[in-house]
Amino acid sequence: MNAERVTQELRGVLAGAGLSGSFLVRDLFTGEEIGIDPDVEFPVASLVKVPLAVAVLDRIHDGRLDGAAMIDVEPGRIAFPGPVGLSRFRHPARIAIDDLLYLSTALSDSVAADALFALVPPTEVNQTLRDAGISGIAVRNPLRDLVETPAEQFDPGDVHLAHSLAIGSRTAGRGHPIPQLDVSRANSGSARAFVDLLEALWVPVRLPSGVAAPLRSLMAHNVMRHRLAPDFSSDASKWSSKTGTLLNLRHEAGVVEHDDGGTFAIAALTESKVPAATQPAAEALMSQVARTLHDHLRAQ
């Protein structure tokens, strides 16, 4: 089956499940790739923590920041605590920059990420990416904005109403009345842009190895293993990634390294038309689509 037919069939599978998305798989040795709408721009939610980590590690690498420096983090800085991390703390904490990087990247701790954004604001993160020749990712906002959406205004039993608002309000130009879902106001990027960033981390020509290697390690220790990991983790492969979730958006970007030496960067950015907060079938399907694209490319 040729690549065009593979992608056409997968589009139908996604549509049948109420999903659309931007997918790209790239062989990091040959540069060959296969994708579905890889240049469509999406709000990226917590995927922004990867370029943030690049910028912070770049400053640690060249001495502008000290990874051992202690940062005071006060509790209660956001109104709606996340499932894990510093937003659940009840008392002030002093945490080293290196450890904030771990919390932000491996645990997707948004309070830790905002402590890092206070050191390296969005404009400087963008400049770091530009200096490395990485384009297509726009960093505009800290992470606290992600927990100030309509979903937090509803009781748990009514969260589907927030998803209905998210689904029915996108404009043709990918604008949205919910600012976190508007690509002109939110942190945004495409599957291609994140695959480019992953390539810069796994083939460190654009970025110093002193930046790329620590970030690869952080992504290898990602604790969010429910999305693409089931299809890419095995005794014969290593999966390193970062997830992003916001209302009806579910994303993951990562790299699978096979024992035979094959290394593939994969980005899956998806949007659901199903008004439900918990969608395990959507999680499984986006992983299956990414795996099918990977398997087709690997077989070439």
Side-chain angles (χ1 to χ4, degrees):
M1 190 183 299
N2 63 31
E4 184 177 353
R5 184 171 177 184
V6 170
T7 57
Q8 182 179 2
E9 290 192 359
L10 291 176
R11 287 177 194 273
V13 171
L14 289 166
L19 289 174
S20 59
S22 174
F23 289 78
L24 188 65
V25 180
R26 180 181 298 161
D27 185 326
L28 293 184
F29 287 145
T30 69
E32 295 180 356
E33 59 185 37
I34 183 172
I36 299 171
D37 298 325
D39 297 303
V40 174
E41 192 175 9
F42 278 79
V44 297
S46 285
L47 289 185
V48 76
K49 293 167 185 170
V50 179
L52 170 62
V54 169
V56 174
L57 285 165
D58 184 61
R59 282 151 180 76
I60 293 173
H61 176 70
D62 67 16
R64 284 176 286 173
L65 289 176
D66 179 359
M70 304 299 289
I71 304 297
D72 292 323
V73 180
E74 297 288 337
R77 291 190 175 186
I78 60 175
F80 304 98
V84 298
L86 295 175
S87 68
R88 291 284 176 181
F89 279 31
R90 295 188 298 165
H91 306 287
R94 299 193 74 212
I95 304 174
I97 293 174
D98 283 336
D99 295 328
L100 288 170
L101 277 167
Y102 167 73
L103 292 172
S104 173
T105 309
L107 273 67
S108 203
D109 185 333
S110 292
V111 172
D114 278 348
L116 296 174
F117 267 128
L119 301 173
V120 186
T123 54
E124 294 185 21
V125 176
N126 286 323
Q127 187 61 53
T128 300
L129 295 180
R130 286 195 297 270
D131 289 347
I134 300 166
S135 61
I137 297 172
V139 182
R140 300 183 176 99
N141 309 299
L143 273 297
R144 61 177 173 270
D145 293 347
L146 295 183
V147 295
E148 297 174 358
T149 73
E152 286 73 39
Q153 311 308 316
F154 290 98
D155 292 331
D158 295 324
V159 170
H160 66 281
L161 298 175
H163 286 257
S164 295
L165 288 172
I167 292 163
S169 303
R170 183 170 299 289
T171 69
R174 304 194 65 74
H176 205 288
I178 299 174
Q180 296 91 336
L181 298 179
D182 186 329
V183 296
S184 68
R185 292 183 286 173
N187 301 319
S188 64
S190 65
R192 185 178 303 283
F194 274 90
V195 165
D196 287 344
L197 177 55
L198 293 170
E199 182 172 357
L201 293 170
W202 262 259
V203 187
V205 175
R206 297 180 179 183
L207 293 170
S209 60
V211 173
L215 188 43
R216 292 197 303 270
S217 177
L218 289 170
M219 294 176 70
H221 290 92
N222 177 21
V223 302
M224 307 300 178
R225 313 292 291 182
H226 65 293
R227 195 161 286 167
L228 268 59
D231 277 288
F232 288 101
S233 296
S234 75
D235 288 348
S237 62
K238 176 182 177 182
W239 176 245
S240 307
S241 72
K242 180 72 193 75
T243 59
T245 309
L246 177 67
L247 291 172
N248 63 324
L249 304 179
R250 289 169 178 80
H251 308 326
E252 187 157 359
V255 171
V256 58
E257 300 170 82
H258 298 288
D259 281 357
D260 65 4
T263 305
F264 298 81
I266 301 162
L269 282 59
T270 70
E271 184 173 24
S272 175
K273 294 182 180 178
V274 179
T278 303
Q279 297 185 44
E283 310 275 5
L285 180 60
M286 65 183 288
S287 183
Q288 292 165 17
V289 169
R291 181 73 200 202
T292 301
L293 293 170
H294 162 275
D295 289 352
H296 179 83
L297 185 61
R298 194 181 183 198
Q300 300 307 299

